[in-house]
Amino acid sequence: MSSAGIFISIMAALAVGAMSPGPSFVVVSRIAISRSRLDGLAAALGMGVGGVVFAVLALAGLTALLSQFEWLYSLLKVAGGAYLVYIAVNIWRSAGQPLEVSDAVNGNRAPRLSFMTALLTQLSNPKTIIVYASIFAALLPRTVPLSLIVALPIGVFVVEAGWYSIVAFAFSARHPRRLYLAAKSWIDRTAGAVMAGLGIRLILAGVSDR
């Protein structure tokens, strides 16, 4: 298979993974719907950067290190799960607080915060690097051309940031926002419960691996 064919195959596989519901989707959609479209796009960029980090680590062979030292992988699972639970608690605690949503941006702090929240959420799940490494191992040739080494992180950013930009645009539209404001407490508590469940599952997976 040509380098172009390999690249397209990898991007298609990663796109399917990016579109699967998970903590990243919950975070980006909630940021977009409760803050602003700009915040949602900043969160999408955070997801893209997180994907690039995982892609580079997978190409660098970190997965071999994690396989050799299982305790390190377990520790990363527990730490990542704890971070997701922390986000869940914050979402749940703010569920009853009134919220004034506006497309206006108050300074530059909010988009930066949204970017960092999304980036840390992406990086909090070490299973993602295993997914990346598995796809790379299955589809990359034994000797990886330099063109692919350069193109893969760029492609990963486009796939991750592109998909979550679509999510940000969709959930920052007027109608979804109106629905959110009408049922904010229930939606936030549901999002918090989902996030907590994902975090607890990750923690339990890390503990059971030990």
Side-chain angles (χ1 to χ4, degrees):
M1 187 184 295
S2 65
S3 293
I6 293 171
F7 177 80
I8 292 171
S9 299
I10 291 175
M11 291 304 107
L14 293 178
V16 172
M19 293 177 186
S20 302
S24 299
F25 181 88
V26 174
V27 166
V28 175
S29 60
R30 186 178 182 276
I31 286 175
I33 206 171
S34 64
R35 297 181 187 175
S36 71
R37 178 163 290 173
L38 181 59
D39 280 282
L41 292 175
L45 291 179
M47 292 299 172
V49 172
V52 170
V53 171
F54 278 135
V56 171
L57 291 176
L59 287 170
L62 179 64
T63 48
L65 178 65
L66 294 178
S67 298
Q68 185 175 358
F69 298 100
E70 294 184 4
W71 64 268
L72 178 59
Y73 185 38
S74 299
L75 181 62
L76 289 175
K77 283 183 179 179
V78 172
Y83 178 71
L84 293 182
V85 171
Y86 168 76
I87 293 179
V89 170
N90 285 338
I91 292 175
W92 185 280
R93 290 177 63 185
S94 65
Q97 299 175 4
L99 181 68
E100 181 179 351
V101 179
S102 172
D103 282 322
V105 180
N106 298 321
N108 295 321
R109 182 177 178 275
R112 284 202 303 268
L113 179 61
S114 298
F115 174 88
M116 289 305 302
T117 299
L119 174 61
L120 292 174
T121 300
Q122 179 81 305
L123 297 178
S124 68
N125 189 356
K127 288 185 176 180
T128 306
I129 191 176
I130 303 299
V131 173
Y132 274 64
S134 299
I135 293 174
F136 289 173
L139 297 175
L140 285 176
R142 183 178 297 274
T143 301
V144 183
L146 179 61
S147 59
L148 274 178
I149 293 177
V150 173
L152 283 174
I154 297 173
V156 166
F157 178 83
V158 171
V159 167
E160 294 278 357
W163 164 245
Y164 287 110
S165 292
I166 293 172
V167 172
F169 270 100
F171 281 88
S172 60
R174 184 170 300 175
H175 184 60
R177 282 188 168 194
R178 225 176 8 242
L179 292 176
Y180 171 74
L181 291 174
K184 177 182 180 296
S185 60
W186 289 103
I187 292 174
D188 279 5
R189 288 192 174 99
T190 300
V194 170
M195 187 72 75
L198 293 169
I200 291 171
R201 187 173 68 177
L202 196 56
I203 292 172
L204 292 176
V207 171
S208 64
D209 287 345
R210 299 182 63 181

